[in-house]
Amino acid sequence: PSPRFGVFKRDGKVSPVLVREFLVTDASERKYMGTFGVATCIAVVLVGKKEGRVVKTGLAHVSAGCYLKASWRFFKPVLEAAEEVEVYLVASYGSEETALRVLEALSLFAGAAGNPKMSYFVNLHGPNALIVNVEKGELYSGFDLAYSEVPKDVLRKNLRDDSWILFHHTPLI
């Protein structure tokens, strides 16, 4: 099914996740995270739950046409903390090929993490920007840098620093 998007009420700052970056967090660290420019790129949101409560949330901005490498660093904290994981793939002009690569990597890593129950929500023709409520696991369409903060502890992983996403000539995983 397609994900549902609420209306962001702007009651807190949003930690930005830029192209080829990811962030895994919980409600004790921050309230919101968001990304924008997911036209041909895909936003991957993981909402990990245990006993019905959100325990870990991850957001990655995956470039179209890229293979995943070292993506375990993104998937592992959510998969290992949760009994069930909601997976959201969102883009406005998303690549099915890229989405399939993400799902393939995720299924491999889920097995290594004890196979938590997985639910998938895909919309490759949705909004090009979104915000994730870390505590509730809710998604909101739209994101403006005016809403953002750039905390010092945000882990930045980009192409120049052992990125988890590399160009298409690199083999999968």
Side-chain angles (χ1 to χ4, degrees):
S2 291
R4 295 191 178 137
F5 301 96
V7 176
F8 183 58
K9 295 183 172 43
R10 196 169 178 179
D11 63 343
K13 293 288 185 183
V14 179
S15 297
V17 176
L18 304 177
V19 177
R20 295 188 185 109
E21 292 185 338
F22 69 91
L23 176 61
V24 177
T25 190
D26 61 42
S28 69
E29 296 174 345
R30 61 191 41 84
K31 191 168 183 177
Y32 300 105
M33 56 186 161
T35 194
F36 58 94
V38 288
T40 58
C41 298
I42 295 179
V44 180
V45 179
L46 304 177
V47 179
K49 295 182 177 182
K50 194 170 193 173
E51 298 174 1
R53 261 185 57 248
V54 176
V55 291
K56 274 292 184 208
T57 307
L59 172 62
H61 187 130
V62 180
S63 294
C66 289
Y67 289 95
L68 305 176
K69 184 177 180 185
S71 51
W72 180 238
R73 291 180 295 177
F74 170 62
F75 296 125
K76 179 183 177 180
V78 179
L79 292 173
E80 289 186 341
E83 296 168 340
E84 59 184 282
V85 178
E86 295 174 0
V87 180
Y88 298 89
L89 303 182
V90 180
S92 54
Y93 303 103
S95 158
E96 288 182 19
E97 182 180 340
T98 303
L100 289 173
R101 285 189 186 123
V102 170
L103 294 174
E104 180 181 311
L106 183 57
S107 68
L108 289 172
F109 295 135
N115 288 315
K117 180 182 172 188
M118 309 290 277
S119 302
Y120 300 93
F121 304 89
V122 179
N123 187 344
L124 300 181
H125 302 288
N128 71 352
L130 63 98
I131 294 171
V132 180
N133 180 316
V134 174
E135 181 181 21
K136 297 178 182 177
E138 295 175 345
L139 276 60
Y140 311 111
S141 63
F143 175 67
D144 186 316
L145 280 176
Y147 303 157
S148 74
E149 63 179 18
V150 184
K152 293 177 185 172
D153 62 335
V154 170
L155 177 62
R156 293 279 189 217
K157 290 293 178 188
N158 59 38
L159 200 55
R160 292 177 305 278
D161 181 25
D162 188 31
S163 176
W164 72 285
I165 300 170
L166 298 176
F167 288 116
H168 58 84
H169 61 271
T170 304
L172 178 64
I173 306 175

